[in-house]
Amino acid sequence: MRLNIPRFLVVFVITSIAVPAVLFGVSAVFGIDLSSSFLPFIPFLAAATFEGHRQVQTHQTMPGSGDMWSAALWMGIVGMLTNLVMAGLFFLVVPGMSEGLAGIPVNFLVIGFTITFVVAFLISRLFLWVGARSAFKALERAKKESNS
């Protein structure tokens, strides 16, 4: 399995921008706050599912377990670095937002980053498999239908 990092990044960034926009719209229109601690992981979920689906469509075979673990590790690394860059840009645009982080000890920030990375890595692996499996089942159904 070869991870297509540019495609992963496009889906990741689009989802990272769309999720807060949708939540803001729902909050403004309906007055409902849908925010939760799972929201930062939705871009990993969406991009990993899409990438798994595309891998099966491209190669017509289910990727191996080791390949998916390796790809999920790279997805976690690239996604977390992308999040850091986007957060840095956000803090440059809205400087007052970073004041809340100033009082938090660096050790806690590192621990939080590490836990977030591990969860993002595991979510990427799970949803990479989900996307690949759904595409592989669809491929098998199409082959059965064409043979009968």
Coordinates of all heavy atoms in Angstrom, one line a residue, residues 1 61-71 125 128-129:
M1 N 0.9 -1.2 0.0 CA 0.0 0.0 0.0 C 0.9 1.2 0.0 O 1.8 1.3 0.8 CB -0.9 0.0 1.2 CG -1.7 1.2 1.4 SD -2.8 1.1 2.8 CE -3.6 2.7 2.7
T61 N -7.1 -4.7 -4.8 CA -6.9 -5.7 -3.8 C -6.9 -5.1 -2.4 O -6.7 -3.8 -2.3 CB -5.5 -6.4 -4.0 OG1 -5.3 -7.4 -3.1 CG2 -4.4 -5.4 -4.0
M62 N -7.1 -5.9 -1.4 CA -7.1 -5.4 0.0 C -5.7 -5.2 0.5 O -4.9 -6.1 0.3 CB -7.9 -6.4 0.9 CG -8.1 -6.0 2.3 SD -9.4 -4.7 2.3 CE -9.6 -4.5 4.1
P63 N -5.4 -4.0 1.0 CA -4.0 -3.9 1.5 C -3.7 -4.8 2.7 O -4.6 -5.1 3.5 CB -3.9 -2.4 2.0 CG -5.3 -1.8 1.7 CD -6.2 -2.9 1.2
G64 N -2.5 -5.1 2.9 CA -2.1 -6.0 4.0 C -2.1 -5.2 5.4 O -2.1 -4.0 5.4
S65 N -2.2 -5.9 6.4 CA -2.3 -5.3 7.8 C -1.1 -4.5 8.1 O -1.2 -3.4 8.6 CB -2.5 -6.4 8.8 OG -2.6 -5.9 10.1
G66 N 0.1 -5.0 7.8 CA 1.3 -4.2 8.1 C 1.3 -2.9 7.3 O 1.8 -1.9 7.8
D67 N 0.9 -3.0 6.0 CA 0.8 -1.8 5.2 C -0.1 -0.7 5.8 O 0.1 0.5 5.8 CB 0.4 -2.1 3.8 CG 1.5 -2.9 3.0 OD1 2.7 -2.8 3.4 OD2 1.1 -3.6 2.1
M68 N -1.3 -1.2 6.3 CA -2.2 -0.3 6.8 C -1.7 0.3 8.1 O -2.0 1.5 8.4 CB -3.6 -1.0 7.1 CG -4.3 -1.2 5.8 SD -6.1 -1.6 6.0 CE -6.0 -3.4 6.3
W69 N -1.0 -0.4 9.0 CA -0.4 0.1 10.2 C 0.6 1.2 9.8 O 0.6 2.3 10.4 CB 0.2 -0.9 11.1 CG -0.7 -1.7 11.9 CD1 -1.1 -3.0 11.7 CD2 -1.5 -1.3 13.0 NE1 -2.0 -3.4 12.6 CE2 -2.3 -2.3 13.4 CE3 -1.6 0.0 13.6 CZ2 -3.2 -2.2 14.5 CZ3 -2.5 0.1 14.7 CH2 -3.3 -1.0 15.1
S70 N 1.4 0.9 8.8 CA 2.4 1.9 8.4 C 1.8 3.2 7.8 O 2.2 4.3 8.2 CB 3.3 1.3 7.3 OG 4.2 2.2 6.8
A71 N 0.8 3.0 7.0 CA 0.0 4.1 6.4 C -0.6 4.9 7.5 O -0.6 6.2 7.5 CB -1.0 3.7 5.4
R125 N -6.0 4.1 11.6 CA -5.9 2.6 11.3 C -7.2 2.0 11.1 O -7.5 1.3 10.2 CB -5.0 1.9 12.3 CG -5.0 0.4 12.2 CD -4.4 0.0 10.8 NE -4.3 -1.4 10.8 CZ -5.2 -2.3 10.3 NH1 -6.3 -1.9 9.9 NH2 -4.9 -3.6 10.2
L128 N -9.1 3.5 8.0 CA -8.4 3.0 6.8 C -8.9 1.6 6.4 O -9.2 1.4 5.3 CB -6.9 3.0 7.0 CG -6.0 2.7 5.8 CD1 -6.2 3.7 4.7 CD2 -4.5 2.6 6.3
W129 N -9.0 0.8 7.4 CA -9.5 -0.6 7.2 C -11.0 -0.5 6.8 O -11.4 -1.2 5.9 CB -9.3 -1.4 8.5 CG -9.9 -2.8 8.4 CD1 -9.4 -3.9 7.8 CD2 -11.2 -3.2 8.8 NE1 -10.2 -4.9 7.8 CE2 -11.4 -4.5 8.5 CE3 -12.3 -2.5 9.5 CZ2 -12.5 -5.3 8.8 CZ3 -13.4 -3.3 9.8 CH2 -13.5 -4.6 9.4

